[in-house]
Amino acid sequence: MTAASPVTHALYGAEQVRTLDRRIIDAGVAGFDLMQRASQAAYDVLRARWPGARRLTVLCGGGNNAGDGYVIAALAVCDGLDVQLVALRDPACLTGDAARACALARRAGVTPVAWREGMTLDGEVLVDALLGTGASGEVRDPLRSAILAINATRRPVLAVDVPSGLSAQTGGIGGVAVHATVTVTFIADKFGLHTGASADHVGELVVESLGTAPETHGDLVPLGELLAAEQLQAALPPRARGSHKGDFGHLLVVGGAVGFGGAALMACEAALRMGSGKVSLATDAAHVAASLVRSPEVMARGVQAAAEAQPLLAQADALVVGPGLGRDAWGKALWRLALDAAVPSVLDADALNLLAEEARDRDDWVLTPHPGEAARLLGSTTAEVQADRRAAVLALRERYGGSVVLKGAGTLIADADGVAVCPYGNPGMASGGMGDVLSGVIGALLGQGRTPGEAARLGVLIHALAGDAAARAGGERGLVATDLASYVRVIANPRS
């Protein structure tokens, strides 16, 4: 998060993990021994999670992921459990360690049965060992129909290494993917298990290193890192007792066309709760009265012509441009004036749509698109963005500069230090105005002297944690953006 905040949880890609796997084997650990370690770890998690289960259904594809499944089946039978092992690939076609695992299972008393569509999967717990981390692209039959059958049972599922159909690299899915209750992943944590579609497929995630230490392989640069709530303590120390409001920045929010004043007001309120020394608002005159009632601390100014905002821009340490701005002549004129002022800025909502029409690049701003806005900025589609969110956020930073926040489940931040993933937040935050609150939080941090990367990472983390705190207090359903403001203040004042 900052120079004083080292990577706390690195995320790797599928190829990097395969490299680590080969290095472990080259160092003297036999591949089959490593498979047995992984299978034992997964089985231990299964028994701890479902101690009362007496019957398992294990579905195996081909390759080492299937080998893990066969070993798990052998362990279960030796433990006195009944096992239905469903083979998606003819066991006679297995090779290498997977074939050895199948032989081990047969010796333990496991009898594989061939998959057929419509068959009954009768385990109390299902084990998904169909596809491993190397799988990519569209899932085709018979694997597709098997995955649909797993999901249709609505029974608990333990996914081995990665839920089948989910990309460990990107978090995208190949049409269908297993909805796991628990995923046990091996050697190192994978980037794709934390963003995009992963939120609906991974379930509880358990990382089993199998005695390895990926971080000691310095030549393998992680694809990213997970943000951690624990980082806030060092990043947000107590304020000096002799502080005054001038020490904490003057943020100007530019937005609020006629009929859209709420977005700008929410950004202002969030900035105040994040500790801005002063917050000003340049908005349509129709919204000034509402601002005074809602947040009298905000210095609201009605602006009919863009030039009227010039004095406000001259006083600002940072800007938030876009909430409720609109794309008509008024909004475009304010957008151009704000960007020409060359003040560190957060661009959100219509400011991003205008940027897509009139591209610029800067090092001192933070862009905060949702997937639809990201698609417009990249000239692609929302589906393409979601299929590989990491590639999309890096492409946005390459094209527009600064730091980029790609919102959504597993929000991503791309900055000069790489890519970070936020593991917090909840479905209750899928409601209007949440992005406006985020822009206010990031803008406040930018105005307090944080770099764009620091402001983006801290802002996303605080916003998500505030959403989780609000959800714990009253539930996810019905959570609204204005609920977050008071929690932003609490999260921004971490206690040791």
Side-chain angles (χ1 to χ4, degrees):
M1 187 176 298
T2 68
S5 301
V7 173
T8 57
H9 190 115
L11 303 174
Y12 294 86
E15 184 56 43
Q16 292 168 309
V17 174
R18 283 193 289 272
T19 298
L20 288 168
D21 188 89
R22 287 193 297 270
R23 289 180 181 180
I24 295 168
I25 293 171
D26 291 344
V29 179
F32 190 59
D33 290 343
L34 193 62
M35 179 178 286
Q36 290 180 299
R37 278 192 210 173
S39 302
Q40 184 69 60
Y43 183 68
D44 289 345
V45 171
L46 188 153
R47 295 304 286 149
R49 184 68 169 74
W50 298 286
R54 303 307 306 162
R55 181 165 178 79
L56 302 184
T57 293
V58 183
L59 295 99
C60 296
N64 285 349
N65 194 250
D68 294 334
Y70 281 104
V71 176
I72 290 170
L75 291 169
V77 168
C78 292
D79 206 17
L81 276 65
D82 293 328
V83 175
Q84 175 193 33
L85 193 144
V86 180
L88 273 290
R89 177 177 292 182
D90 184 351
C93 297
L94 297 174
T95 61
D97 291 335
R100 291 185 65 184
C102 180
L104 176 70
R106 287 185 185 277
R107 289 195 300 272
V110 176
T111 302
V113 296
W115 162 260
R116 65 182 186 280
E117 193 162 353
M119 72 185 300
T120 300
L121 305 178
D122 54 10
E124 297 166 81
V125 178
L126 280 61
V127 176
D128 163 28
L130 294 173
L131 293 167
T133 58
S136 61
E138 198 75 9
V139 178
R140 303 189 183 280
D141 282 328
L143 292 165
R144 181 179 184 278
S145 59
I147 290 172
L148 291 174
I150 290 171
N151 292 341
T153 68
R154 298 186 180 276
R155 294 186 197 134
V157 177
L158 182 137
V160 177
D161 213 7
V162 60
S164 293
L166 179 75
S167 169
Q169 185 86 9
T170 68
I173 62 171
V176 296
V178 167
H179 289 282
T181 312
V182 177
T183 297
V184 183
T185 200
F186 306 125
I187 298 179
D189 203 353
K190 284 83 174 177
F191 191 92
L193 299 179
H194 294 276
T195 194
S198 67
D200 291 320
H201 293 274
V202 171
E204 177 189 346
L205 179 63
V206 178
V207 181
E208 292 288 350
S209 68
L210 307 183
T212 66
E215 62 275 8
T216 64
H217 296 258
D219 60 317
L220 296 179
V221 180
L223 294 186
E225 65 174 295
L226 279 184
L227 296 177
E230 294 75 20
Q231 293 172 292
L232 292 179
Q233 192 68 44
L236 296 169
R239 289 180 165 180
R241 302 307 299 168
S243 299
H244 59 83
K245 64 184 178 183
D247 294 330
F248 304 116
H250 185 170
L251 179 70
L252 172 63
V253 176
V254 180
V258 174
F260 297 96
L265 298 186
M266 285 187 284
C268 289
E269 184 174 7
L272 288 170
R273 294 298 185 181
M274 190 57 239
S276 284
K278 293 186 286 186
V279 177
S280 292
L281 171 62
T283 189
D284 188 274
H287 306 309
V288 171
S291 177
L292 290 172
V293 172
R294 175 78 192 185
S295 299
E297 302 90 347
V298 174
M299 295 173 284
R301 178 77 61 84
V303 174
Q304 297 304 112
E308 296 173 26
Q310 187 65 60
L312 301 177
L313 291 165
Q315 298 170 21
D317 297 305
L319 309 177
V320 170
V321 187
L325 183 66
R327 285 184 276 176
D328 60 9
W330 182 84
K332 285 182 179 179
L334 277 172
W335 179 83
R336 291 193 180 104
L337 184 72
L339 268 58
D340 289 344
V343 178
S345 302
V346 178
L347 269 60
D348 187 33
D350 283 323
L352 296 170
N353 293 323
L354 290 168
L355 183 64
E357 298 171 5
E358 189 178 314
R360 304 187 185 198
D361 66 277
R362 280 172 45 178
D363 293 330
D364 64 344
W365 62 15
V366 179
L367 310 182
T368 61
H370 58 56
E373 291 161 343
R376 286 190 284 276
L377 287 163
L378 292 172
S380 62
T381 66
T382 301
E384 289 170 330
V385 168
Q386 291 294 82
D388 193 341
R389 286 169 54 81
R390 182 177 184 273
V393 76
L394 288 171
L396 287 164
R397 185 170 186 273
E398 175 69 22
R399 184 173 299 188
Y400 297 100
S403 297
V404 181
V405 174
L406 179 56
K407 296 182 287 196
T411 291
L412 303 183
I413 304 99
D415 58 23
D417 293 325
V419 178
V421 187
C422 182
Y424 308 105
N426 62 82
M429 298 173 74
S431 62
M434 288 291 174
D436 304 309
V437 172
L438 175 62
S439 67
V441 171
I442 296 175
L445 290 162
L446 203 58
Q448 291 170 53
R450 302 283 182 166
T451 67
E454 291 170 346
R457 292 187 180 215
L458 273 174
V460 166
L461 181 56
I462 291 166
H463 178 260
L465 290 170
D468 287 346
R472 284 194 298 272
E476 293 177 358
R477 188 173 287 109
L479 181 64
V480 297
T482 51
D483 291 337
L484 266 63
S486 59
Y487 292 100
V488 164
R489 181 186 175 196
V490 173
I491 301 299
N493 289 280
R495 295 175 176 84
S496 57

